[in-house]
Amino acid sequence: MHHDAVVKMENITMEFPGVKALDDVSFETRKGEVHVLLGENGAGKSTLMKILTGVYKQTAGKMSLKGEPYEISGIKDAEAKGISMIFQELNLVPYLTVAENIFLGREPRIGIHINWKEMNCEAQSLLDHLGVQISARAVIKTLTIAQQQMVEIAKALSYRPDVIVMDEPTSSLTDREIEELFKTIRDLKSKGVCIIYISHRMEELLEIGDRVTVLRDGHYVGTVNVQDTTIDELIQMMVGRTLDEKFPKEFAEIGEEAIRISHLSQGKRLKDISFCARKGEVVGFAGLMGAGRTELMRAIFGADSIDAGEIYINDKKVNIKSPKDAIKNNIGFLTEDRKNQGLILKLDVKQNVTLPNLEKITKNTVICFKEEKAICERLVEDLSIKTPSLLQKIKFLSGGNQQKVVLAKWLATQSKILIIDEPTRGIDVGAKVEIYKLINKLTKAGHTVLMVSSELPEILGMSDRVYVMHEGKITGELTRQEATQEKILHYATGGESFE
Amino acid sequence: MNRLNTAGKSDHFAMFNIRDFATLIGLFLLCAVISILQPVFLSPNNLINVVMQSSINASIAIGITFVILTGGIDLSVGSILALSGVVMASSLQAGHPLALSILIALVIGTICGLINGFLIAKGKLPPFIATLGMMSMARGLALVYTNGRPISGFSKAFRWFGTGYVFKTEYFSGIPAQIVITVALYIIAYYILKYTRLGRYTYAIGGNEEAARLSGINVKKYKMIIYGISGLMASVGAIILTARLNSAQPIAGIMYELDAIAATVIGGTSTVGGEGKITGTLIGALIMGVLRNGLNLLDVSSYLQQLIIGAVIVIAVLIDKYRK
């Protein structure tokens, strides 16, 4: 045992009914280190951290904190003992201010009154310390997702913890904000705080991590020093096999035009947008957060109404007023937020897959269960969705498998044009590659894919052509050969054409 | 793939899941306690009585279950019952054919429900507010229409709905018609929720309205249909009640919405929507009926009854919550 051990988890086993989520896992972190926890979805990272923060009680194994035995009754208890967790999902009250959220439930008081001055003051100093320009008096709802993430971090810091667990903290941050976050992490490190960092972004791990512990299928694989390892080695530890490429792009034969958007406008959000996409083509949409990419996709799909513009599918003008119309025109839409917009978590795999497709398998208003089952079984196999049965509730699947279920939904409706918005957000390397391979399969079958992504390597790796958006306009179009990170960023920040 | 097959099969035939089973055990326990304290409870006559008295609440609770499954609420069913009851009664007394009068009741109930649905789906009002408004409006309309006076005295043919028997033979006194009607409605509702698109969409809308919309479901249309069903079920209650009492009263059905909501949540339907079963609601309605009947048999004052019933509702839902 290392003399500076902060958290020590030994031989942890966690069993849920029918699943062994963790099997004899040991994990140890030291004072002042950034310890990265790496693994595919379903590897057991979240479960391990939920045990550490008292959300779950382990079936077997013991824990210690700074050499003392560590027993825990819940998150509040963990925070009191010096372990804070920043969850992937934001847990802020939208209508309260930043300061109110940070000190929710433990507001400084004078008698029975809240000491507003002290509360705002302390909150502001936490934020300033993080180097972010957010007012402690701002209402959460008015902040961007990235700013809200920084508030979560400030909240965690307000407990003055010894250990901070960060679950994918950068998934909604811009590069500049990530830089700020890393600065804060380094600062915390120098003060002896131990950070457990969960992320899927390999480059990030190498930049910020000191040591990496890899889990796979609930088992401990190993712990390595970041200096002594490579991305390839880590990937191999994670998936148990080498991945030749991160982006296994295969080129399909590009056919006729499948969809054309002409002069589409929507309030101040989308301004005079025209573009086209052909059969067999992956068209990437790059841009900064808030550039209007998601809004454009929602408008095409009929989720939001438009003020002007036409949509042509196979050179025929179509009238899309609702998602139902879009589906009739063989458009599918994988939303960026799969839990709130893509899936119905309380329903099972089968019910989710066939939801947009129910009309086609209904005879005299009665759902044909046999056909439904056949469709689902085929897709579960084709997409290798890992689920114990078709009747498993979606909420119990891992993120990667949930995303595959969303894809299965649109494949079941035989979508010819598939809009995918952040298709690999929050899913691990192995599942990402599987999604990319599915994209290849789709384009080979003559489908058109419109892909919105905030990860530039993904845009560059998978697109045949790239449109760049800035403030609701398309500011640039690049072929695969022309596209580089620099050019995309140039257009994404409103830069003029290069000629 | 074998695993998938068997799992699919068991779901097809499982009418009751574990959760329903626990509610069912609750019902039996309640019956056991009451029959120990007052053995008369178990007499066939009394048992039929209990079921009969539960039938109106059970019918209304079908509609409420649909509504709550979508994450909504309907407070107007008691008033809709009164309105469709008095209009039907006046039609009967005017000498219109029985079938027409009953159709009038059903149409009025459905229209009131559709108006609720319209206000909620198209007007984007919270269900609580829209149906609160309808609760007052339908009641007011019933009072205005009758000038506050009950309409009484109907033909034997009509009274069959509340007092008649089916399958009557020399040796068997038959089954009350209202029980047969209620059971039939439950079978239809079970079928709709399990096997039809409407049923699947009901769960989907309650589970996640935005995801349902983005899956191409016409959420507004289905919400209107579902509130329409709730109004329709209230008017079925009106037919049974009016026939049973031989009188339609503009103040009938007060607080019925709360009994129906209670039956639904005791039956395990999640108040935020997306989860629940119609079989649970049936058991919930029976629990309410057994409780009322048992307390009457035990000579508990009606004041005290209210207190006990309220406590049972809260405890039942608490148990359900902590069992999960």
Side-chain angles (χ1 to χ4, degrees), chain A residues 4-48:
Chain A
D4 272 345
V6 181
V7 171
K8 198 159 180 243
M9 304 178 82
E10 287 173 286
N11 311 103
I12 302 288
T13 296
M14 182 76 210
E15 285 179 52
F16 295 109
V19 199
K20 210 173 203 179
L22 290 173
D23 191 1
D24 199 23
V25 171
S26 296
F27 178 65
E28 183 200 292
T29 68
R30 295 171 196 161
K31 204 165 179 240
E33 77 166 347
V34 176
H35 197 127
V36 177
L37 201 49
L38 193 62
E40 295 200 43
N41 281 321
K45 296 168 309 211
S46 298
T47 310
L48 191 67

Side-chain angles (χ1 to χ4, degrees), chain A residues 303 340 346 367 372 391 409, chain B residues 7 12 195 200 208 213 215 273:
Chain A
N340 289 318
K346 284 175 179 173
I367 301 165
E372 182 178 39
L391 302 171
K409 254 171 83 167
Chain B
H12 265 257
Y195 293 102
R200 184 70 61 82
N208 185 339
R213 188 174 79 95
S215 296

Side-chain angles (χ1 to χ4, degrees), chain A residues 202-203 231 235 243-248 429 432-433 436 457:
Chain A
M202 289 289 177
E203 294 81 6
I231 289 183
I235 289 177
L243 293 172
D244 296 329
E245 286 184 88
K246 283 203 282 182
F247 303 104
V429 177
K432 274 184 186 179
V433 171
Y436 298 142

Side-chain angles (χ1 to χ4, degrees), chain B residues 268-317:
Chain B
T269 298
S270 158
T271 48
V272 293
E275 276 174 311
K277 287 195 143 193
I278 197 73
T279 42
T281 301
L282 181 58
I283 300 166
L286 287 173
I287 288 178
M288 296 283 290
V290 166
L291 197 60
R292 282 246 155 78
N293 176 273
L295 292 172
N296 279 333
L297 290 180
L298 295 171
D299 261 339
V300 177
S301 81
S302 64
Y303 301 157
L304 195 55
Q305 281 194 21
Q306 290 221 19
L307 180 95
I308 294 171
I309 289 171
V312 166
I313 294 170
V314 173
I315 291 165
V317 179

